Amino acid sequence: MQIEKLPQFIINQIAAGEVIERPASIIKELVENSIDAHSSKIEISVVNAGKSYISIYDNGDGIQKDDFHNAVTLHATSKLHNLNLNEIDYLGFRGEALASIASVAKISITSKYKDSNETWKAIYDKNNVRDLIPATLNSGTKIEVSDLFFSVPARLNFLKTDITELSNIINTCKQIILPYNNISLRLSSNNRLILNYPPSTIKIRISDILGNEFTDDLCEVNYESESCKITGFVGKPTLNFNTQNKLFFYINGRYVKDKYLSLTLKSTYSSLIPHDRYPIAVLFIDLPKKDFDVNVHPRKLEVRFRDIKKLQQNIDVAVKSVISKVSNISSIFIANNFRDSLIDIQNKNYQKSNKTTTEIKKFNNDLIFNNPTPKINSLQEDSSDFEIDFIPEFSDQSKEQEHLQQQSNLFELQTNKPDNDIDLGTAVTQFMNKYIISKSSEFIFLIDQHAVHERVVFEKLKKNFYDKKIESQQLLIPEMVYLSENDIELLNNNKDKIKELGITFKKISNDLIEITSLPIILIESNKSELIKDLIEDFTNDDDMTCNNSMKNKIERILATFACHTSIRSGKTLSVEEMNQILRLIETTENSAQCNHGRPSYIKLSLKDLDKLFDRI
Ligand code: ADP
Ligand code: MG
């Protein structure tokens, strides 16, 4: 069989296979072209989620009459002046998009070049200009695409429902336009306006795109090192999600999907949010052009970094410096959600008893006006009634004393006080031996005592570990723990690290070890369970790709330790103890969430309560 050079229209269709997968890929390429053409306004319209019609109209530089043919010719571009792929200044550079679109759909381009008074419309037949006719347009370029995949009908079968394809288009528009807050973008579907982003500040643009319910929980990142600049916003740790779709990374203005960047961020938040959850973040990373390559993916969604490790370190430092200041402040979004769910429960209860909303209002008003002098201290309970069993029970007195001493040592912890002053007010009461209720002049707080204590112990352990001050104690009677051969080998391989954590052990046989010493704080714990958790922490490799994975492992182990030592919910606390805990939260880093990322306290204002009672 003879080897033949393929005809150009087949070459174009092959290229289209990589670049144009679905309507959203067309939108991506066309929006990028409008941005590259210096537009300040982009209007997109789709019919049937772009399957039958897409138009995009911008007010950019326009296309010259002589360029209409080249615009849809494969590998023809106006963006690579010095023919150097290391010097890319635009989002586009491969000259593939319009050629690919023209080979799989019907296309026309109407354009008024910026230095010309004439407007021309080119109607294409595949990759050739069929007609070039005079037209009218105020400025810029309008590109219309119809009958997607008419030339490769098999591809139509791979398209999803209109709802899914439209949601891909919406996400694509959001991803691309987010950093370009000076450019307005409107998207209509079947003549209905569904996205409308006017020119704005970057913070407003982010709120428009991510949802303004998160605005108050976003913290600004502004970091510069000799190798990169990182700006943007990251969320408070208590705000976390089960998918990555609120992570936006931009390299020099280009949206990229990069698992290493996501992993870095996950690892930065690792001891603050659960392992299977993701934070919210929009990071604009500016790198010298020589330090990354965008020509690795036909749709330019991935980039290759010259030194990913260094970049990961920079991101870690940039983000940590911000979240360390806010990680003892609970998310406003979570509090609002909590309030809304209370409202929901309340409404459902009323609905059950067949009361209408106006009746609820009347009911609330009556209740308030018929009881003008509420019992101010009705919440306050006499703390002397409470048994002081804040600490675990012990069989003998001296042990109890010793443990009390350890606990109070823990409470002496004053880690670097975070910048934001928080005031959790004074403890009012404890509810069901699980939650503390406190109030300040402006807020009421609900505090999860176990979550908070666990965080306090964890931060203390971390500090002691990094200061090399973990106090270990020899066990009078060594504890035997049966394990698999593999697990024993793993422990043996990490013997030194484990010793640094205050645990020493001896291998007795292939399936038995003897624990000889433990950190004082863990003396009372279930040792076999503790060792098994430790092994699990060591084997859990989900963040091995990150340069600080050993540090993560250690912190995960310390979090496990904290969990084994902390007071469980179910302990009665005196008012003094509650206040002691409140002061600890105020001064402990990261105290707004427990070590598993659940919020440890929730703050409610008068306005929140008014809303709860339907008074506003
Ligand atoms: P690339 O963007 O990689 O250059 P494209 O196929 O997307 O390749 O576009 C080809 C050329 O058509 C661009 O280089 C540009 O000169 C021109 N072009 C495309 N869209 C527009 C537009 N909206 N405004 C002005 N020029 C455009
Ligand atoms: Mg392009």
Side-chain angles (χ1 to χ4, degrees):
M1 216 188 284
Q2 233 184 344
I3 300 178
E4 281 178 63
K5 171 103 170 84
L6 294 172
Q8 192 60 41
F9 78 94
I10 293 285
I11 295 178
N12 293 344
Q13 282 182 7
I14 291 172
E18 291 183 321
V19 185
I20 308 302
E21 207 184 16
R22 49 187 3 104
S25 351
I26 297 187
I27 304 271
K28 172 184 186 289
E29 297 296 335
L30 298 183
V31 173
E32 287 188 349
N33 280 345
S34 298
I35 295 172
D36 283 347
H38 311 105
S39 312
S40 61
K41 199 167 147 190
I42 302 173
E43 304 223 343
I44 308 162
S45 166
V46 296
V47 176
N48 293 344
K51 291 174 189 168
S52 33
Y53 179 79
I54 295 172
S55 90
I56 172 158
Y57 177 22
D58 66 46
N59 65 350
D61 297 340
I63 298 175
Q64 302 188 60
K65 190 180 172 195
D66 294 346
D67 273 343
F68 279 101
H69 174 71
N70 275 346
V72 299
T73 303
L74 193 61
H75 302 147
T77 178
S78 59
K79 302 174 190 174
L80 212 57
H81 305 295
N82 45 12
L83 299 184
N84 182 351
L85 282 176
N86 300 320
E87 288 296 324
I88 294 164
D89 292 318
Y90 294 94
L91 295 171
F93 60 92
R94 295 166 64 109
E96 280 181 327
L98 291 184
S100 300
I101 297 168
S103 76
V104 294
K106 298 197 170 129
I107 179 170
S108 75
I109 302 180
T110 311
S111 192
K112 179 172 181 291
Y113 186 61
K114 59 181 177 190
D115 296 332
S116 162
N117 293 324
E118 297 171 0
T119 301
W120 292 94
K121 176 172 183 173
I123 300 162
Y124 294 89
D125 178 12
K126 299 254 173 60
N127 297 77
N128 298 307
V129 178
R130 195 186 70 202
D131 288 311
L132 189 61
I133 49 175
T136 44
L137 211 60
N138 283 340
S139 62
T141 303
K142 181 173 184 179
I143 300 185
E144 290 172 282
V145 180
S146 57
D147 290 346
L148 179 60
F149 296 138
F150 81 98
S151 58
V152 273
R155 299 286 294 278
L156 280 172
N157 298 336
F158 291 93
L159 295 184
K160 304 263 167 53
T161 60
D162 282 10
I163 295 175
T164 310
E165 293 299 342
L166 187 63
S167 108
N168 278 327
I169 292 175
I170 293 172
N171 287 337
T172 302
C173 289
K174 289 180 173 180
Q175 287 158 359
I176 303 175
I177 210 64
L178 188 148
Y180 300 94
N181 51 296
N182 294 327
I183 304 179
S184 74
L185 180 138
R186 283 151 67 95
L187 167 70
S188 314
S189 163
N190 300 339
N191 279 328
R192 207 167 52 87
L193 184 67
I194 49 173
L195 290 184
N196 184 10
Y197 301 136
S200 60
T201 62
I202 190 68
K203 188 145 193 207
I204 294 177
R205 173 60 57 90
I206 291 173
S207 296
D208 284 350
I209 287 179
L210 293 181
N212 49 19
E213 64 272 35
F214 304 122
T215 316
D216 293 335
D217 288 328
L218 293 179
C219 319
E220 192 166 355
V221 178
N222 206 337
Y223 169 89
E224 195 161 359
S225 75
E226 63 206 28
S227 61
C228 71
K229 187 170 169 209
I230 303 172
T231 56
F233 292 86
V234 291
K236 289 178 194 161
T238 35
L239 190 62
N240 50 69
F241 305 89
N242 60 1
T243 68
Q244 302 190 31
N245 61 14
K246 289 189 178 57
L247 293 185
F248 291 73
F249 293 102
Y250 295 87
I251 306 293
N252 295 14
R254 182 190 302 278
Y255 173 80
V256 293
K257 274 200 166 105
D258 187 292
K259 73 165 190 272
Y260 292 104
L261 298 185
S262 313
L263 275 173
T264 309
L265 211 62
K266 214 162 149 20
S267 121
T268 303
Y269 277 79
S270 64
S271 63
L272 303 173
I273 63 175
H275 291 307
D276 53 352
R277 309 270 299 173
Y278 294 86
I280 184 169
V282 176
L283 290 181
F284 307 113
I285 302 165
D286 285 335
L287 289 171
K289 287 178 206 152
K290 63 174 174 39
D291 287 349
F292 68 101
D293 181 4
V294 292
N295 191 26
V296 289
H297 187 272
R299 272 172 282 140
K300 302 158 287 172
L301 270 171
E302 287 167 17
V303 289
R304 199 165 288 145
F305 299 101
R306 202 160 65 110
D307 191 347
I308 179 74
K309 287 243 168 339
K310 195 163 175 195
L311 180 59
Q312 288 181 315
Q313 276 162 6
N314 276 304
I315 295 176
D316 190 58
V317 175
V319 176
K320 248 193 199 130
S321 68
V322 173
I323 53 174
S324 65
K325 290 182 195 149
V326 294
S327 51
N328 62 344
I329 300 176
S330 197
S331 150
I332 292 165
F333 173 74
I334 301 276
N336 288 348
N337 260 0
F338 167 75
R339 183 200 57 209
D340 291 345
S341 62
L342 284 183
I343 292 172
D344 249 22
I345 293 168
Q346 185 204 35
N347 285 347
K348 273 189 198 129
N349 286 344
Y350 279 115
Q351 271 156 20
K352 263 191 209 147
S353 59
N354 279 335
K355 285 192 190 293
T356 63
T357 319
T358 33
E359 275 177 314
I360 297 169
K361 269 200 171 136
K362 186 173 173 301
F363 177 84
N364 284 338
N365 282 344
D366 286 353
L367 200 73
I368 290 151
F369 293 120
N370 294 338
N371 291 290
T373 45
K375 249 174 89 188
I376 290 168
N377 273 340
S378 58
L379 265 177
Q380 188 94 38
E381 292 183 53
D382 184 357
S383 64
S384 61
D385 287 351
F386 285 82
E387 184 200 347
I388 303 183
D389 62 350
F390 179 34
I391 53 166
E393 283 144 42
F394 295 97
S395 46
D396 76 68
Q397 203 65 29
S398 61
K399 260 192 177 172
E400 184 167 345
Q401 279 305 323
E402 188 186 305
H403 199 91
L404 256 176
Q405 186 57 44
Q406 289 158 22
Q407 288 282 354
S408 65
N409 284 347
L410 277 179
F411 289 161
E412 272 160 27
L413 159 77
Q414 301 290 318
T415 47
N416 300 339
K417 192 173 184 310
D419 278 4
N420 296 62
D421 278 336
I422 53 163
D423 171 12
L424 293 181
T426 7
V428 177
T429 189
Q430 191 191 20
F431 181 64
M432 296 286 179
N433 289 355
K434 246 180 128 174
Y435 295 97
I436 301 169
I437 300 173
S438 74
K439 74 178 183 60
S440 67
S441 54
E442 283 179 274
F443 301 101
I444 284 188
F445 300 89
L446 303 178
I447 296 134
D448 176 340
Q449 68 186 50
H450 174 62
V452 147
H453 190 261
E454 203 176 298
R455 167 58 66 185
V456 169
V457 174
F458 176 52
E459 292 298 329
K460 165 82 173 167
L461 280 170
K462 249 183 4 186
K463 188 169 186 300
N464 282 356
F465 177 77
Y466 292 122
D467 293 350
K468 301 212 178 319
K469 273 202 246 152
I470 290 213
E471 265 186 86
S472 173
Q473 186 177 306
Q474 199 87 20
L475 298 185
L476 283 178
I477 306 160
E479 178 101 4
M480 307 283 197
V481 182
Y482 283 93
L483 295 167
S484 75
E485 235 180 293
N486 265 352
D487 288 347
I488 293 186
E489 197 181 324
L490 182 115
L491 289 179
N492 250 336
N493 290 344
N494 290 288
K495 209 167 181 163
D496 291 344
K497 267 277 157 273
I498 294 172
K499 195 169 172 201
E500 274 178 51
L501 290 162
I503 302 179
T504 59
F505 63 91
K506 245 204 272 174
K507 182 175 164 185
I508 305 295
S509 70
N510 278 347
D511 63 350
L512 182 66
I513 61 160
E514 197 180 80
I515 304 170
T516 43
S517 56
L518 275 182
I520 295 181
I521 191 164
L522 291 171
I523 293 284
E524 293 301 320
S525 64
N526 178 328
K527 294 164 192 77
S528 158
E529 249 179 50
L530 177 80
I531 294 297
K532 283 175 187 153
D533 282 351
L534 177 85
I535 291 167
E536 206 171 290
D537 287 335
F538 261 112
T539 33
N540 193 342
D541 258 349
D542 59 358
D543 36 31
M544 270 313 273
T545 36
C546 293
N547 46 7
N548 52 357
S549 64
M550 197 42 164
K551 184 162 171 275
N552 280 342
K553 274 195 177 42
I554 297 289
E555 293 201 357
R556 200 150 54 202
I557 291 164
L558 295 175
T560 305
F561 284 6
C563 201
H564 278 268
T565 54
S566 295
I567 48 160
R568 303 272 157 190
S569 32
K571 289 284 166 197
T572 311
L573 302 175
S574 70
V575 169
E576 290 70 34
E577 283 166 334
M578 287 189 262
N579 279 323
Q580 205 178 4
I581 291 178
L582 299 185
R583 302 295 77 83
L584 274 166
I585 306 170
E586 289 164 357
T587 49
T588 298
E589 278 185 290
N590 309 323
S591 58
Q593 52 279 309
C594 77
N595 306 335
H596 310 293
R598 289 185 295 271
S600 52
Y601 71 84
I602 277 168
K603 171 167 122 175
L604 295 169
S605 68
L606 179 63
K607 208 166 148 209
D608 296 330
L609 292 173
D610 280 348
K611 199 161 170 205
L612 180 63
F613 288 100
D614 220 3
R615 288 168 67 83
I616 47 173

